[in-house]
């Protein structure tokens, strides 16, 4: 759709890594959420309409990175403390963007879901994430799903500072983050 592809294109144009990341996470997110739809425990929340909106929103989870300065966004080594604090703002910026535009669009549910994914995909199950330190089921389900696929793609992708991990190693790392980083049921 036009909104999703336009915003995703803006982010992709700023950061070569993010472009492939946005495509990958969108694919993983769609597979994951469609599987969860088949589980009775999630079927009340993950209605076909809501899932369609969440899938449209997935490539937009890092849209806030359009406001992060190049020196931080494109740095080819680990970020220092100040740079990391600035990078963390992408989730607030992205969430605020969708909160703001929701008033001007007819599909309010799309805006709400996009805002939840963008704002909360770095929250952690134990409350140690950002931007708000939400804990457990305070974190919207769509953001809990995105946090897993976001980390999976980061682990399996090559970066200037690391080689890609195998699928199995990445799954082991994610599994070891159950209860601390990720919803243990997911």
């Amino acid at each position: 759709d036009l909104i999703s592809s336009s915003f995703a294109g803006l982010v992709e144009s700023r950061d070569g890594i993010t472009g492939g990341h946005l495509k990958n996470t969108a694919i993983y997110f769609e597979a994951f959420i469609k599987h969860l739809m088949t589980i009775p425990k999630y079927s009340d929340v993950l209605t076909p309409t809501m899932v369609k909106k969440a899938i449209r929103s997935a490539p937009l989870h890092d849209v806030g990175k359009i406001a992060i300065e190049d020196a931080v966004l494109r740095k080819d080594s680990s970020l220092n403390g100040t740079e990391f604090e600035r990078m963390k703002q992408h989730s607030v910026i992205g969430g605020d963007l969708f909160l703001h535009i929701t008033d001007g669009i007819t599909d309010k549910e799309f805006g709400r879901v996009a805002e939840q994914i963008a704002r909360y995909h770095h929250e952690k199950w134990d409350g140690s994430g950002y931007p708000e330190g939400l804990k457990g089921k305070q974190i919207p389900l769509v953001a809990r799903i995105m946090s897993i696929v976001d980390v999976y793609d980061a682990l399996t992708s090559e970066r200037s500072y690391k080689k890609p991990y195998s699928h199995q190693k990445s799954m082991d790392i994610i599994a070891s983050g159950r209860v601390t980083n990720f919803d243990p049921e997911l």
Side-chain angles (χ1 to χ4, degrees):
D1 109 321
L2 185 59
I3 291 174
S4 296
S5 61
S6 296
F7 278 127
L10 281 172
V11 177
E12 186 175 74
S13 71
R14 295 274 334 278
D15 175 7
I17 292 172
T18 301
H21 174 69
L22 296 177
K23 290 174 188 143
N24 292 343
T25 54
I27 291 166
Y28 304 148
F29 184 89
E30 182 173 356
F32 199 154
I33 201 167
K34 282 184 173 180
H35 172 71
L36 289 177
M37 283 179 74
T38 68
I39 300 171
K41 175 179 188 164
Y42 298 104
S43 61
D44 286 348
V45 176
L46 298 178
T47 64
T49 300
M50 193 275 207
V51 166
K52 183 177 179 183
K53 293 171 192 308
I55 290 168
R56 278 180 56 210
S57 302
L60 304 173
H61 73 279
D62 278 338
V63 71
K65 287 183 177 180
I66 61 174
I68 305 301
E69 42 287 325
D70 286 348
V72 173
L73 187 64
R74 295 179 176 206
K75 188 173 180 183
D76 63 356
S77 60
S78 296
L79 301 177
N80 67 34
T82 303
E83 292 165 338
F84 184 61
E85 288 304 311
R86 180 64 185 134
M87 182 63 87
K88 286 171 33 176
Q89 290 302 303
H90 83 276
S91 60
V92 174
I93 294 164
D96 287 352
L97 172 73
F98 285 109
L99 192 62
H100 177 72
I101 68 168
T102 296
D103 288 339
I105 60 175
T106 55
D107 192 344
K108 306 292 187 211
E109 187 177 14
F110 169 76
R112 182 184 58 80
V113 171
E115 187 250 336
Q116 289 177 346
I117 291 173
R119 186 178 307 276
Y120 300 122
H121 70 280
H122 286 292
E123 296 288 358
K124 295 184 179 180
W125 189 252
D126 67 1
S128 65
Y130 63 87
E132 296 178 20
L134 299 181
K135 184 176 185 175
K137 293 193 177 179
Q138 292 175 326
I139 306 164
L141 178 59
V142 290
R144 296 191 321 255
I145 296 166
M146 180 53 74
S147 72
I148 293 171
V149 301
D150 190 39
V151 168
Y152 178 80
D153 184 63
L155 292 170
T156 58
S157 297
E158 184 168 355
R159 298 289 188 258
S160 61
Y161 52 88
K162 75 164 203 58
K163 296 285 184 200
Y165 294 144
S166 69
H167 166 75
Q168 189 57 55
K169 182 172 182 175
S170 299
M171 294 302 289
D172 291 344
I173 291 169
I174 290 169
S176 72
R178 295 179 68 201
V179 184
T180 54
N181 295 351
F182 310 110
D183 180 339
E185 293 176 4
L186 295 181

